[in-house]
Amino acid sequence: MESPKKNLGVITAVDGDLSQVGMYSMSNDAEFIWYGEVLTGPKIGAYLTITQNDIKIIATVSNEKVIDQQNSIKSTEFDNRYSKNSINRIISLKTKGVVESGKFHVTSQYVPMIGNEVSLTSIDELKIIYGVESNEPTIRIGKSILEGQTIQLSINKFFASHISIFGNTGSGKSNTLHKIYLELFRSNFYEQIVQKSQFFVIDFNGEYSSSEIDKVTGKGIFGINEEDKEIFEINTRKLNAGRKLPVKRKYIFDADILSILFDARPATQVPFLRSSMEEFNEKLEYSNFDFGNYVTGTLKRILTSGFSVNQDSLQDWIDTAKKYYKDKEVYSEIDKIEQRNNGSFAILGSDQIWFNSGSNEGITQEKLEKSKIILIAKGLNAYFNNVETTPIQKLKIFLDFQKVHCTAWGKVNREHLNPLFNRINTSFKSLEKVIEVKDDAIKDYKTMNIISLVHANQEITRLIPMLLSKMIYDEQKTLVSGEKVYQTKHLIIDEAHNILNSEYRNNGDDWQDYRLSIFEEIIKEGRKFGFYLTLSSQRPADISATILSQTHNYLIHRLVNEKDLRMLENTMPTLDKSSHQMIPSLGQGEAIITGNAMQVPVFVKIDKEKLLHPTSDDIKLTDLWSIVK
C-alpha cells in the first residue's frame, strides 16, 4: 500500500515549465523521515512531486527565496523580517516529466496548475525516475548525489551510441571512462562481446596500460581476460621496445596519408608522391616483380642519353645503389663510370665499354655483363625481395630510385625534392620502430586493444590515431554495409583534444583538416555501421563543435573554464540550465549524466574501483618524500 504524501506547499504561479510554490511552513530540513523512508528535502536540485488528479508531475527545485509579509513596502525603519508568522518561503520548480501508470516519461501534455499540491518525491517514484525498463539489461555506474539511489545505465541505449566524458584534471574522468567499460565486461554478455566486438583505446598518457590483475577474478584492466587483451606500447625511442602496431598495407601506402606525414608541398612534392605511390602499389601487385631490372632501366637510359640527361644523375644513381647493394668488388667497377666530352659514357677498366647515346639497343648482353649491370640488377632485386626487407624499407628504396629517375631529365627539380626526402628519412625511421605492415591487419587485433602513445614522438602521436581510426572504420563499414550489423567496433580516445582540436582547421594544417574530416564522418555515419566513438577530454572547447553536437550521451565532471562551459551549453540539447550551473561545483568523482540513455540529467557519484583503475591517481608528495632508499 502506498504511503501518504508529505505535502510541503501549493502552486501559486506558473510560467511555462517554471512554477512557484508557497510553502506551508518555513521548514528547511535537508531530509525528512517519512513512514520509515529518508526523503530528500526541497533543496536546490532535489525532486518534488506535483499532484494533479492521478498524474504525478515531477519537477526539480531551481531556486528558493523568502518574502516578508509584514514588510511589503521594504521599509528599513519598520523591518519586521524574521518576526513570527512574517516570513513565507517560496521555491521555484522546473518541470521534468510525469509518472503515469508506473512509468516516467518526458511530455508537455501535463503542466502544473495553481492550487496543485506539492509533496516530497517518494523512494518508489525516484526508482521510477532513475530506473529503466524491467527487462532492459543494465550496468551500475554509481549513486545519485542527492538521494543516494543506485543509477543504472541501459547497455543498449548507452553503448550503442557515441559517448563524451569531460572534466578538469583530477575530476575523475579517467576513472569514469574505465568504470563504464569495466562494468560492461563484468556483465553477463562477456563471452558474446569477445566474439562479436572489438575495442580500441588510444591512450596518450599510458593510463590504461597497467599490468595489475584482480586475484579473485584473474582479470586485468577493464575487466578483460589477459588472452583477450593486447597492449601496444608505441615507442619511438627504442627499437623493438614493444609489439608493433599492425596496419593494413593500403593505409600506410596511401599517397594522401604519406603527403601529410611527410608534410609534402602541394606544388611539386605531392605530385611526385602521388605518381610514385601509384607506380609502387601497381608494381607490388605482381609477385614476380623484378625490382633490380626495373631500376637498372633508369641506369641504362642515363648511360645512353648523352647530354640530354642531368649531368649529376649518374652519380646520384650510383650513390643510391650503394646504399642498398654492398658488393665492394662490383662498386670498384661501377665507380669507374664517367662521362666523356662527346656525350657518351664509358666504364674504364682493362677494357673500355662504350654506351652510345640515343638508344638502349646499343647495350648488348655482353656489355651488360662486362659492366656488371646484370650483377647489380640481381643484387638490388635480391635486397628488395629479401624476406627481412620490410615493406617500409621497400618503399624507401623505391622512392630513392624514383627521385633519381624523375630528376634525371628535368621533370622535377632536385632542389624541390631534397627537403621532402630529409623528412622521409626521419619519418621512416620512426615508422619502422612502431608499425608492422600487413595484408589483413584487423585479424591481428584482439577484443580489447590498448594503444599507448606515452613514449611516441609527436610525429607518430599525430599519425597513429588517424591511421588506426580510418583503418578500423573502413573495415567495419565494408563488412556491414548493406547488411544487418552482426559485429561492432568501439573506438575510445582519451585526451581527445590532442587530435580533435579544431582551432587550426583551414589554416594550412593538413593534419587537422584530414583528421577532422575522418572523425566527423565517423561520428555522423558510424552508428549505422555499428561503429561507436567514446571521447574523453579536459578541454571540450578545443574539440570540433560538429563532433560534440553529434554525441548521444555525456558524462560531465567538474569544469570551470568559461569557454568549456559555453561550448557545452551550445552543443548539448539535453543539458538544462540548472544542471549546467552546477558543473563548476561538482566534487571529485561526481558527474552529470545526460543524453539519450537518461530521460533527465542525473547527478551521480561514480563508483571507484580499489584495485582495477587507471594510473591517474594524484601523487602524494609527502609520501614520496618520506621514502628512504
Side-chain angles (χ1 to χ4, degrees):
M1 183 177 176
E2 188 176 354
S3 301
K5 289 287 187 181
K6 170 62 176 175
N7 293 325
L8 300 176
V10 64
I11 299 291
T12 59
V14 179
D15 183 6
D17 60 353
L18 299 177
S19 309
Q20 282 197 343
V21 180
M23 303 293 284
Y24 289 149
S25 69
M26 266 300 295
S27 171
N28 61 347
D29 293 332
E31 295 178 331
F32 290 83
I33 298 177
W34 187 252
Y35 282 83
E37 294 181 340
V38 179
L39 304 180
T40 302
K43 54 188 176 183
I44 300 295
Y47 285 105
L48 293 181
T49 301
I50 304 168
T51 304
Q52 193 177 95
N53 299 326
D54 294 333
I55 302 299
K56 297 174 181 177
I57 301 175
I58 305 299
T60 54
V61 179
S62 56
N63 65 64
E64 60 177 321
K65 63 181 179 179
V66 296
I67 60 172
D68 182 2
Q69 295 186 108
Q70 296 184 24
N71 188 27
S72 58
I73 62 172
K74 310 298 181 187
S75 167
T76 56
E77 183 178 355
F78 301 102
D79 191 346
N80 294 311
R81 281 177 294 177
Y82 306 111
S83 297
K84 186 178 180 180
N85 300 322
S86 172
I87 303 302
N88 269 3
R89 183 183 182 193
I90 303 294
I91 64 174
S92 295
L93 301 180
K94 181 175 178 61
T95 304
K96 294 295 184 180
V98 300
V99 173
E100 185 179 18
S101 301
K103 294 183 178 180
F104 176 79
H105 56 273
V106 178
T107 178
S108 58
Q109 182 178 359
Y110 303 100
V111 295
M113 300 178 69
I114 293 176
N116 291 159
E117 280 200 304
V118 178
S119 60
L120 294 176
T121 301
S122 68
I123 297 296
D124 289 338
E125 290 166 349
L126 287 172
K127 288 180 179 177
I128 293 172
I129 297 168
Y130 289 138
V132 292
E133 298 288 340
S134 58
N135 60 348
E136 182 77 15
T138 62
I139 62 167
R140 172 196 162 112
I141 190 67
K143 289 187 175 182
S144 61
I145 296 173
L146 293 179
E147 303 89 1
Q149 289 294 305
T150 298
I151 302 300
Q152 306 279 352
L153 294 177
S154 164
I155 291 177
N156 289 316
K157 291 181 180 179
F158 191 74
F159 291 101
S161 74
H162 302 310
I163 304 165
S164 288
I165 304 171
F166 300 130
N168 290 149
T169 300
S171 64
K173 67 180 183 302
S174 295
N175 176 69
T176 297
L177 172 60
H178 177 261
K179 178 66 176 176
I180 60 177
Y181 284 98
L182 175 67
E183 291 300 322
L184 176 64
F185 287 111
R186 281 176 173 171
S187 70
N188 296 330
F189 301 97
Y190 183 88
E191 295 302 325
Q192 291 300 312
I193 290 174
V194 169
Q195 294 181 33
K196 298 177 181 177
S197 296
Q198 286 182 298
F199 299 77
F200 300 83
V201 181
I202 296 178
D203 181 11
F204 284 96
N205 297 327
E207 295 181 15
Y208 305 95
S209 305
S210 171
S211 58
E212 198 76 49
I213 300 294
D214 188 329
K215 295 180 181 179
V216 177
T217 63
K219 297 183 178 182
I221 199 83
F222 289 109
I224 295 282
N225 292 333
E226 288 302 291
E227 63 268 21
D228 298 325
K229 179 180 69 175
E230 187 77 53
I231 297 177
F232 297 90
E233 295 279 0
I234 306 301
N235 194 326
T236 53
R237 300 170 189 173
K238 298 179 182 178
L239 191 62
N240 300 322
R243 184 177 172 189
K244 295 181 179 181
L245 192 74
V247 175
K248 204 168 183 177
R249 182 184 301 274
K250 74 179 221 179
Y251 291 97
I252 195 63
F253 294 157
D254 179 89
D256 290 329
I257 290 177
L258 289 179
S259 295
I260 294 171
L261 175 63
F262 302 146
D263 192 21
R265 299 296 177 261
T268 53
Q269 297 171 356
V270 169
F272 167 78
L273 272 178
R274 287 193 185 282
S275 61
S276 298
M277 292 311 303
E278 183 177 345
E279 184 83 3
F280 178 73
N281 289 322
E282 181 184 331
K283 297 301 181 187
L284 285 191
E285 291 293 321
Y286 302 100
S287 57
N288 58 348
F289 172 49
D290 189 337
F291 176 77
N293 189 51
Y294 175 76
V295 294
T296 52
T298 301
L299 174 62
K300 296 172 191 176
R301 189 176 169 192
I302 290 173
L303 291 172
T304 57
S305 291
F307 287 127
S308 68
V309 70
N310 188 309
Q311 300 305 296
D312 295 323
S313 297
L314 177 60
Q315 192 59 48
D316 286 347
W317 196 99
I318 294 171
D319 292 341
T320 302
K322 280 184 176 181
K323 290 195 295 185
Y324 303 106
Y325 183 45
K326 307 298 183 183
D327 192 320
K328 294 182 179 178
E329 181 181 347
V330 171
Y331 283 123
S332 65
E333 297 297 325
I334 200 171
D335 271 336
K336 297 174 183 176
I337 297 177
E338 65 178 33
Q339 187 175 15
R340 292 299 181 87
N341 292 333
N342 61 6
S344 61
F345 290 85
I347 291 183
L348 304 178
S350 54
D351 298 314
Q352 291 186 346
I353 305 169
W354 292 90
F355 298 92
N356 299 321
S357 302
S359 173
N360 284 359
E361 294 176 3
I363 305 180
T364 63
Q365 186 70 16
E366 181 183 6
K367 287 184 178 181
L368 290 176
E369 289 178 359
K370 284 188 176 182
S371 62
K372 303 294 194 299
I373 290 178
I374 290 180
L375 193 60
I376 293 169
K378 288 181 179 179
L380 290 172
N381 190 60
Y383 175 87
F384 187 84
N385 291 302
N386 191 301
V387 292
E388 295 183 0
T389 304
T390 66
I392 292 176
Q393 290 171 336
K394 288 183 178 181
L395 176 57
K396 177 64 170 60
I397 181 176
F398 189 89
L399 290 176
D400 278 347
F401 277 106
Q402 280 295 106
K403 177 188 175 185
V404 177
H405 182 82
C406 290
T407 58
W409 290 274
K411 293 180 182 178
V412 180
N413 190 320
R414 182 190 291 111
E415 300 306 317
H416 291 161
L417 291 186
N418 285 338
L420 172 66
F421 273 81
N422 291 334
R423 295 191 293 271
I424 286 176
N425 292 335
T426 303
S427 298
F428 276 157
K429 285 179 182 178
S430 297
L431 283 177
E432 280 283 19
K433 294 177 182 177
V434 301
I435 282 184
E436 182 181 8
V437 181
K438 304 280 248 176
D439 290 326
D440 189 4
I442 298 297
K443 291 182 179 179
D444 287 14
Y445 290 99
K446 295 184 179 180
T447 298
M448 174 60 72
N449 306 277
I450 300 170
I451 296 89
S452 174
L453 297 170
V454 68
H455 297 302
N457 60 27
Q458 184 181 20
E459 188 176 46
I460 294 301
T461 299
R462 298 200 303 173
L463 174 68
I464 292 297
M466 177 181 68
L467 204 58
L468 180 69
S469 301
K470 182 169 176 57
M471 180 178 70
I472 60 177
Y473 172 68
D474 286 352
E475 183 77 9
Q476 179 69 13
K477 187 176 178 179
T478 301
L479 283 174
V480 305
S481 183
E483 299 182 17
K484 184 178 180 180
V485 175
Y486 60 92
Q487 61 175 292
T488 66
K489 288 184 175 61
H490 305 256
L491 177 61
I492 304 162
I493 308 177
D494 192 30
E495 306 297 344
H497 53 272
N498 286 327
I499 58 171
L500 298 180
N501 192 322
S502 60
E503 182 178 352
Y504 302 108
R505 186 169 198 169
N506 299 323
N507 287 330
D509 191 337
D510 293 334
W511 281 93
Q512 285 301 98
D513 290 351
Y514 192 78
R515 277 183 296 180
L516 287 175
S517 65
I518 290 172
F519 283 101
E520 285 177 4
E521 180 185 353
I522 287 174
I523 207 155
K524 289 176 182 177
E525 308 293 337
R527 192 176 184 181
K528 70 179 73 168
F529 301 118
F531 192 99
Y532 306 109
L533 189 63
T534 297
L535 306 176
S536 175
S537 175
Q538 56 185 281
R539 291 306 311 273
D542 287 347
I543 297 176
S544 162
T546 301
I547 292 175
L548 285 189
S549 63
Q550 295 291 327
T551 302
H552 308 112
N553 289 295
Y554 302 85
L555 295 99
I556 308 164
H557 289 271
R558 184 172 184 261
L559 288 167
V560 296
N561 185 282
E562 281 296 326
K563 192 175 179 182
D564 293 327
L565 293 171
R566 281 197 303 272
M567 172 62 82
L568 295 185
E569 187 176 22
N570 294 333
T571 57
M572 295 173 55
T574 57
L575 186 66
D576 58 54
K577 185 177 181 180
S578 58
S579 299
H580 181 268
Q581 291 173 341
M582 295 294 292
I583 294 174
S585 59
L586 292 170
Q588 189 176 44
E590 296 177 350
I592 300 173
I593 304 179
T594 183
N596 295 349
M598 310 297 295
Q599 298 198 72
V600 292
V602 177
F603 290 80
V604 184
K605 176 70 174 179
I606 306 293
D607 293 337
K608 184 171 183 179
E609 294 293 314
K610 293 183 179 179
L611 179 61
L612 297 179
H613 57 80
T615 54
S616 58
D617 291 343
D618 294 336
I619 297 173
K620 292 184 178 179
L621 290 176
T622 52
D623 290 349
L624 176 66
W625 293 333
S626 299
I627 297 175
V628 178
K629 291 187 177 181

